């Protein structure tokens, strides 16, 4: 019995558009709720949500029966953190602030067992191997790894063609907020210069053998990004959804006192 098939990786490879959402409550109960909504993928955000290895693992467990594929974002692409989260059962990683092909190659290697990479062989006690119930996990896991790198600085954009040439990178995600900030327009990814950089980058990624990804928090922007070539498209953030719904409810009733 081989390592679990990464259906999300297969869908990207087939060129399917897949719609996702950010899971930012760092709580398995909230992520389990999201997992019933019908999203194709969910980002368990270890960069900007208060997650740690145990909360990430608890959310992987919560999504085990869901059709929503878990995508785990780490704070940075450190090999030791990648080793831990893969052993916890993650198969798709979103790694922020990638700015070179060398960095991308190092991430590919960190996600794979030797000789293709440097992932430590601890599967015997790992959730990923179902605690050794998958006897050939180490021999079959590499093929199920899905690496999504975030390009979200001017340096990353400049290195995009080189990053796109790296074997083992499955997708490139453009981070609009960080890119806008790095370009001198913090908080304004709709600024013409930033929007043009996003449009150009999504087009170049879509023309490559990688999947293009991005996040939008309003429908008009999401539609625009889809038209520019976004294939794995996140269309919301759970925390923002709840906060907005709560404020709208208060606004609705505040005038009815
Ligand atoms: O740069 C970006 O935009 C992203 O990487 C997404 C953000 O980190 C996400 O938290 C929404 O702001």
């Amino acid at each position: 019995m081989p390592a679990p098939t990464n259906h999300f990786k297969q869908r990207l490879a087939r060129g399917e558009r897949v719609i996702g959402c950010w899971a930012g409550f760092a709580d398995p109960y909230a992520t389990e709720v999201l997992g019933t909504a019908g999203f194709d993928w969910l980002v368990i955000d270890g960069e900007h949500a208060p997650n740690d290895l145990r909360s990430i693992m608890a959310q992987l467990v919560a999504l085990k029966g869901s059709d929503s594929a878990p995508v785990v974002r780490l704070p940075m692409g450190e090999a030791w953190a990648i080793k831990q989260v893969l052993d916890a059962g993650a198969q798709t990683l979103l790694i922020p602030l990638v700015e070179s092909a060398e960095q991308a190659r190092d991430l590919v290697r960190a996600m794979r067992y030797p000789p293709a990479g440097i992932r430590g062989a601890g599967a015997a006690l790992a959730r990923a191997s179902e605690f050794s119930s998958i006897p050939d996990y180490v021999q079959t896991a590499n093929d199920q790894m899905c690496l999504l790198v975030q390009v979200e600085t001017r340096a990353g954009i400049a290195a995009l063609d080189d990053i796109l040439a790296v074997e083992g990178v499955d997708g490139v995600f453009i981070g609009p907020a960080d890119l806008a900030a790095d370009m001198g327009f913090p908080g304004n990814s709709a600024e013409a210069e930033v929007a043009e950089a996003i449009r150009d980058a999504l087009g170049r990624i879509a023309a490559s053998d990688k999947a293009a990804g991005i996040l939008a928090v309003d429908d008009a922007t999401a539609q625009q990004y889809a038209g520019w070539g976004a294939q794995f498209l996140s269309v919301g953030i759970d925390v923002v959804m709840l906060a907005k719904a709560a404020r709208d409810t208060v606004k609705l009733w505040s005038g009815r006192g």
Side-chain angles (χ1 to χ4, degrees), residues 22 45 47-48 73 94 96 150 152 173-180 215 217 237:
W22 244 245
D45 191 357
E47 183 187 15
H48 289 303
R73 181 161 76 168
L94 178 64
Q150 291 196 221
E152 47 191 351
F173 177 97
I174 300 299
D178 280 311
L179 182 59
L215 163 68
V217 289
I237 302 172

